[in-house]
Amino acid sequence: GENVEQHPSTLSVQEGDSAVIKCTYSDSASNYFPWYKQELGKRPQLIIDIRSNVGEKKDQRIAVTLNKTAKHFSLHITETQPEDSAVYFCAASITDSWGKLQFGAGTQVVVTP
Amino acid sequence: KAGVTQTPRYLIKTRGQQVTLSCSPISGHRSVSWYQQTPGQGLQFLFEYFSETQRNKGNFPGRFSGRQFSNSRSEMNVSTLELGDSALYLCASSSAQGNTEAFFGQGTRLTVV
């Protein structure tokens, strides 16, 4: 089945710097790649997603890139702020297994003022 | 629009007992997925229901089961509880129109003693 690897497991950045989180997936049939942010004690919330027919997507300070050939996708956060501190999860799913998200292990991002 | 509601929020059970968790999806959403979240294993997919039918299943033992009712509400049952079943159980609902955003509930924190 699908396997998603996520790196790094922890990421410390200074406020205003950029943060990058990388994920790789194993199933070439995967075609949907969401990113979730989970603050301490709260539910995961979708921050951005990308589909396999798109190479890059941006939403204000957040962007995601997808390389289908290499089977990896990345989350980029620019101009980080303290409220960006959270655990970020990447995920992948395929149309035939719609509704089944395979998650990466998560990245703890700490933004220091 | 009300979000995904999970009940109860907290549960303490003894080894060997069974437990039932409930999830009410966002109105109009027909797909409900269940995930187990633990510090060591991250977010792991349990199963997904759509129109009262289980469409996808993760790699969990048969002690974990679920069902969905005609109003799309879903329940998850765990029988013969083990200490290792202690986790946050999250459900997510989606509109089932292709790979669309999964909205998570606050989760049920299950502690097995």
Side-chain angles (χ1 to χ4, degrees):
Chain A
E2 175 67 280
N3 184 49
V4 177
E5 294 191 359
Q6 182 172 348
H7 300 281
S9 56
T10 59
L11 182 58
S12 242
V13 296
Q14 290 277 0
E15 182 178 359
D17 287 350
S18 295
V20 180
I21 304 170
K22 298 183 179 181
C23 289
T24 59
Y25 60 97
S26 60
D27 193 334
S28 56
S30 291
N31 57 9
Y32 176 63
F33 307 92
W35 286 87
Y36 283 84
K37 174 184 180 183
Q38 187 176 29
E39 296 176 45
L40 190 62
K42 296 192 175 180
R43 72 189 78 193
Q45 291 196 297
L46 180 78
I47 55 171
I48 196 167
D49 57 11
I50 192 168
R51 301 180 193 282
S52 59
N53 59 347
V54 175
E56 183 175 1
K57 184 177 178 181
K58 289 184 72 173
D59 183 3
Q60 300 182 344
R61 298 186 296 107
I62 294 173
V64 58
T65 58
L66 172 64
N67 183 325
K68 285 190 297 182
T69 304
K71 289 192 278 190
H72 68 68
F73 55 114
S74 300
L75 178 72
H76 304 253
I77 306 174
T78 58
E79 300 172 23
T80 54
Q81 301 167 5
E83 52 264 39
D84 294 328
S85 295
V87 179
Y88 292 80
F89 293 95
C90 63
S93 73
I94 61 175
T95 303
D96 288 347
S97 293
W98 189 86
K100 174 182 178 180
L101 291 172
Q102 186 69 42
F103 283 89
T107 297
Q108 174 76 61
V109 174
V110 177
V111 180
T112 52
Chain B
K1 197 174 191 181
V4 179
T5 304
Q6 290 188 245
T7 57
R9 290 291 310 279
Y10 303 93
L11 265 177
I12 299 177
K13 290 286 187 178
T14 305
R15 268 184 305 172
Q17 287 187 313
Q18 74 165 21
V19 67
T20 299
L21 314 181
S22 179
C23 174
S24 293
I26 291 172
S27 177
H29 284 191
R30 295 165 63 191
S31 169
V32 175
S33 300
W34 288 88
Y35 295 85
Q36 181 194 66
Q37 186 172 27
T38 59
Q41 298 296 320
L43 277 155
Q44 293 197 295
F45 173 79
L46 281 153
F47 28 65
E48 184 239 353
Y49 286 87
F50 175 77
S51 291
E52 302 178 65
T53 300
Q54 186 182 89
R55 283 202 303 193
N56 289 291
K57 189 176 189 306
N59 298 320
F60 278 80
R63 300 185 296 106
F64 292 81
S65 63
R67 59 178 175 167
Q68 186 180 36
F69 302 94
S70 58
N71 61 357
S72 293
R73 188 178 72 85
S74 177
E75 287 182 348
M76 189 191 98
N77 186 76
V78 187
S79 62
T80 320
L81 284 166
E82 301 176 359
L83 295 179
D85 297 333
S86 295
L88 179 67
Y89 290 89
L90 292 159
C91 79
S93 77
S94 302
S95 65
Q97 300 296 321
N99 277 344
T100 58
E101 179 177 356
F103 294 84
F104 281 87
Q106 289 276 37
T108 294
R109 172 74 63 185
L110 172 64
T111 301
V112 183
V113 296

